[in-house]
Amino acid sequence: MARRYWFISVFVGGIAVAIACGKDAPMPVSPSITTPAGVDAAADGSTLKSTAPALQSPVKGVKLEAGVTVTLVVGNASAKFAAGTPLSYRFQIFNAGGTLVYNSPLVAAGSGSTSHPVPAPLDGDQTYYWQARAEYNGAAGPWSGRESFIAPVNDGYIKGNELYDPLINGKTVGEIHGPVTFLPGVGVKLETLQSYISYQLQQTLLEGEYSLLVTGMPANTKGGKTKLFAMAQGYDDIVTNDRRFTVEKRGDPPGIVAWRVITHDDQIDTEGAERQFVDFQASQTYFWQATWRNNFFNLIINEGGTSGRTIYNKGKRWEGRPYDPNPHVIYVGAPVGRSGPDGASVQGAIIRQVWVSGRTRPEFANK
């Protein structure tokens, strides 16, 4: 009997403790969180007890129309045990190869759904995948599944210290000077020595590349020291500009490639063999790429496009501080300087896919 009484006492006592604990347990008033590095993270890596947001748009591989801003929209997630908690959202975009190409900052929740216009340029007419998750106070909920979309054809932009202008769609993001002709799918033709396009970057690009594709340009064109493209500090005379950066396809003598760069402390020019003759053919496409990085200027010309045969590859080092124009002005062709129209733009050149950036030239600009 003594043993049986002890067992019953322990059993009843245990029930009493359980009841007492149940009465004292507080209701959660914020999301149940473990630290991101904690051992209590769920199997999917999430540390916030919430649902995943529902991806609403764009979905199912939809092809977005040209000119629209890619805007990601999700139905809001909910934090378990705290429905009114103000969550934030993170969005990620991946290319077709699975590489992360965009990771958003935290975006405050909207009412019922949350939208995020993507500020980063995407390769036009390419498939992308995206996902989203909720975050709160340093903890993250589970990622959603992924949905796909096709990025809109890119009409060009000037953002910060980056410029892209395809020039194959009958328009430009720059300012046209003199007569030009837009050839659909081909580019813009500089009709006269005085024809050019100007752009002004929002920020100075200290290091990077200026590249473009050229057709319709034979070796023997009008003019003398004609310029295919250029950069400068502001809009002062291009010939005497404090930050002159000119790349020339000369007409006198015909087919000569030359360049000049004036940096903060130095000046470099083509000399001797650097001033090379190229037998340009009007029927060919030529890729011109000027780079300025680590105090070194280099010019490459490929015949047949970006992956074609290299027919010119020369450069030179400068001393002192970087190339630092402010404001940073870009030209397709060049304005008339003190030397007159004879030293302005390459007449008849057809130019497309202008790229100025510190980033590597993207594949979509190579068409």
Side-chain angles (χ1 to χ4, degrees), residues 324-337:
D324 56 356
N326 185 25
H328 195 158
V329 176
I330 310 294
Y331 295 107
V332 167
V336 176

Side-chain angles (χ1 to χ4, degrees), residues 256-308:
I256 293 294
V257 175
W259 35 266
R260 173 174 290 181
V261 179
I262 300 176
T263 67
H264 196 110
D265 304 303
D266 201 2
Q267 174 177 319
I268 53 174
D269 298 90
T270 41
E271 297 176 324
E274 296 164 355
R275 194 165 294 181
Q276 177 182 323
F277 167 77
V278 176
D279 187 17
F280 295 103
Q281 302 295 313
S283 59
Q284 276 284 0
T285 295
Y286 295 92
F287 172 63
W288 292 63
Q289 180 192 58
T291 58
W292 64 104
R293 293 189 175 98
N294 300 317
N295 280 49
F296 191 85
F297 167 87
N298 199 71
L299 177 65
I300 291 175
I301 306 173
N302 291 348
E303 182 180 67
T306 54
S307 58

Side-chain angles (χ1 to χ4, degrees), residues 198-235:
S198 65
Y199 315 83
Q200 184 172 322
L201 297 183
Q202 296 163 347
Q203 301 167 8
T204 297
L205 178 61
L206 294 175
E207 294 190 338
E209 74 167 90
Y210 183 166
S211 55
L212 45 73
L213 292 165
V214 185
T215 56
M217 183 184 68
N220 192 6
T221 54
K222 294 181 180 181
K225 298 178 180 180
T226 47
K227 299 162 183 64
L228 191 63
F229 58 95
M231 302 193 299
Q233 177 166 276
Y235 297 91

